[in-house]
Amino acid sequence: MKKIVAGTVAMLSLAGVSGQVSAAEPTAIKTSTVGTESSIKTQAAETQIAAVTSLSTPQEGQKNRSSGNFSVENLPAGTYALKFVVEGANSGTHFNVMKDVSGGTDPTIWSNVYSGNTTDVQTDRSFYIANPSGTNSNFTVKVYALH
């Protein structure tokens, strides 16, 4: 299986089958022949880069924060998205991800994140889970680099 680097467009031609691959849809290659069309499924590589435990509500004395900080740094080459996976909570659990700014206002980086959601790539050493909803128990969030 060949790895296709995100951000490029490549042409594929095999035994009369041709198609185009782009970063916009890196997990599916559309192919077509005269009068027919099919899809070849590919599997994006996933590398776990962080894990953090979150409370079901903001921490005592906090307006938003429900977890400690986690880092998204030193990503694998070709990382084109981040994937968030929630463990230990029901499927309706969602949350925001905020960035801890020392001495400043913490911005919301990603809003309304559910298990399985993918986001754009941003790196920092001080992200945290904020304002969880849809759960009554603590849960774990694992972050994966898709490449």
Side-chain angles (χ1 to χ4, degrees):
M1 179 183 304
K2 288 188 178 182
K3 188 173 184 179
I4 298 169
V5 179
T8 63
V9 175
M11 292 303 294
L12 174 66
S13 182
L14 301 168
V17 177
S18 63
Q20 184 175 351
V21 180
S22 74
E25 293 189 63
T27 59
I29 300 172
K30 277 260 193 204
T31 63
S32 61
T33 58
V34 178
T36 65
E37 186 174 290
S38 62
S39 289
I40 301 171
K41 298 292 182 183
T42 60
Q43 183 69 35
E46 295 183 2
T47 302
Q48 184 177 332
I49 55 170
V52 66
T53 299
S54 176
L55 302 177
S56 61
T57 59
Q59 295 174 346
E60 187 174 332
Q62 295 288 317
K63 181 179 176 185
N64 303 302
R65 176 190 287 273
S66 60
S67 78
N69 287 350
F70 65 92
S71 174
V72 176
E73 295 182 307
N74 303 317
L75 300 175
T79 297
Y80 61 87
L82 301 177
K83 179 179 176 182
F84 290 81
V85 175
V86 176
E87 295 181 352
N90 64 42
S91 62
T93 300
H94 58 282
F95 52 87
N96 296 335
V97 177
M98 298 180 76
K99 180 179 172 180
D100 191 3
V101 176
S102 181
T105 302
D106 296 354
T108 300
I109 305 303
W110 299 290
S111 298
N112 209 27
V113 178
Y114 286 82
S115 187
N117 281 165
T118 58
T119 66
D120 62 325
V121 177
Q122 293 194 38
T123 58
D124 200 272
R125 62 186 178 138
S126 300
F127 292 120
Y128 63 88
I129 305 303
N131 306 106
S133 183
T135 186
N136 293 320
S137 61
N138 298 351
F139 57 96
T140 299
V141 177
K142 292 184 178 179
V143 184
Y144 294 86
L146 301 182
H147 54 102

